[in-house]
């Protein structure tokens, strides 16, 4: 499984924006990448972490970031 420490800076940046509730299109515009690139990053992370959807991915990211009590 992937850990926070193993994530790239770009992956952390994208996950932070996803956790803020931003859409792929908004994230893409903010960081200057295509929407498809953002989708690919999210899909790779979802598979690497072993979760089924964005809600679970955000929950994993929050917990591994120490954002959840």
């Amino acid at each position: 499984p992937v850990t926070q420490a193993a994530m790239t800076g770009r992956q952390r940046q994208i996950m932070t924006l996803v956790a803020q509730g931003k859409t792929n299109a908004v994230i893409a515009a903010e960081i200057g990448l295509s929407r498809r690139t953002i989708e690919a990053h999210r899909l790779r992370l979802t598979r690497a972490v072993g979760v089924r959807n964005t809600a679970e991915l955000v929950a994993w990211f929050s917990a591994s970031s120490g954002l959840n009590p």
Side-chain angles (χ1 to χ4, degrees), residues 7 13 23 28 39 54 61-63 66:
M7 290 174 68
Q13 179 185 28
T23 65
E39 290 171 2
T54 299
F61 182 70
S62 296

Side-chain angles (χ1 to χ4, degrees), residues 8-52:
T8 66
R10 179 67 80 192
Q11 288 172 328
R12 274 191 295 281
Q13 179 185 28
I14 290 170
M15 278 309 307
T16 299
L17 296 170
V18 169
Q20 292 172 7
K22 296 185 178 182
T23 65
N24 290 338
V26 170
I27 294 168
E30 283 189 19
I31 62 178
L33 298 174
S34 76
R35 180 185 52 81
R36 289 289 295 143
T37 300
I38 303 304
E39 290 171 2
H41 276 292
R42 288 176 66 170
L43 179 60
R44 277 193 298 277
L45 278 168
T46 298
R47 288 180 176 164
V49 172
V51 296
R52 292 172 290 185

